[in-house]
């Protein structure tokens, strides 16, 4: 179980990323636009720098949806490898079987 403060901080970062996603996308498009002038590109670069650091999706951490474990998270299922194994053994994941050979 992760600390409640770490889970809350990641949730807050997710809200900031969602809030600035559209503006960030517009600035990134302006930055790579081949028809833009140098002044427009410079304005887009400065605009990106003025956004909050937590507006970058890279700063998000993938966490287990149930207990917030930060490592070993299977993105397809949204849970950690430990919880995945337990749930698979109990038969709580449809279509998942223990392999043996």
């Amino acid at each position: 179980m992760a600390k409640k403060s770490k889970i809350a901080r990641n949730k807050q970062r997710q809200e900031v990323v969602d809030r600035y996603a559209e503006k960030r996308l517009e600035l990134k498009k302006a930055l790579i636009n081949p028809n833009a002038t140098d002044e427009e590109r410079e304005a887009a670069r400065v605009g990106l720098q003025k956004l909050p650091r937590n507006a970058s999706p890279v700063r998000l951490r993938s966490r287990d949806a149930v207990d917030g474990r930060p490592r070993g998270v299977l993105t397809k299922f949204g849970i950690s490898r430990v919880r995945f194994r337990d749930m698979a053994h109990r038969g709580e994941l449809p279509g998942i079987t223990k392999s043996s050979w």
Side-chain angles (χ1 to χ4, degrees):
M1 181 72 190
K3 290 171 62 174
K4 300 281 186 190
S5 60
K6 295 288 187 179
I7 297 170
R9 185 180 304 156
N10 201 50
K11 190 179 292 186
Q12 186 178 15
R13 281 186 180 147
Q14 180 64 53
E15 292 170 1
V16 173
V17 167
D18 294 341
R19 188 180 322 137
Y20 287 98
E22 190 173 320
K23 185 174 184 179
R24 186 176 183 82
L25 183 64
E26 290 173 8
L27 289 170
K28 296 265 275 187
K29 282 184 179 179
L31 196 61
I32 62 171
N33 185 4
N35 299 328
T37 64
D38 289 339
E39 292 81 19
E40 291 172 346
R41 284 196 186 122
E42 182 67 19
R45 185 186 63 79
V46 170
L48 267 176
Q49 286 180 342
K50 287 190 177 184
L51 290 178
R53 285 187 178 189
N54 286 339
S56 175
V58 173
R59 292 177 67 96
L60 290 175
R61 179 78 186 193
S62 59
R63 291 187 172 270
D64 188 325
V66 180
D67 66 356
R69 187 179 202 279
R71 298 187 180 233
V73 177
L74 305 173
T75 55
K76 184 176 180 180
F77 299 96
I79 55 177
S80 67
R81 60 181 179 80
V82 178
R83 185 162 310 276
F84 178 83
R85 187 167 188 260
D86 289 340
M87 290 175 76
H89 280 301
R90 284 181 281 172
E92 295 176 1
L93 298 174
I96 304 297
T97 56
K98 184 176 184 294
S99 64
S100 60
W101 59 88

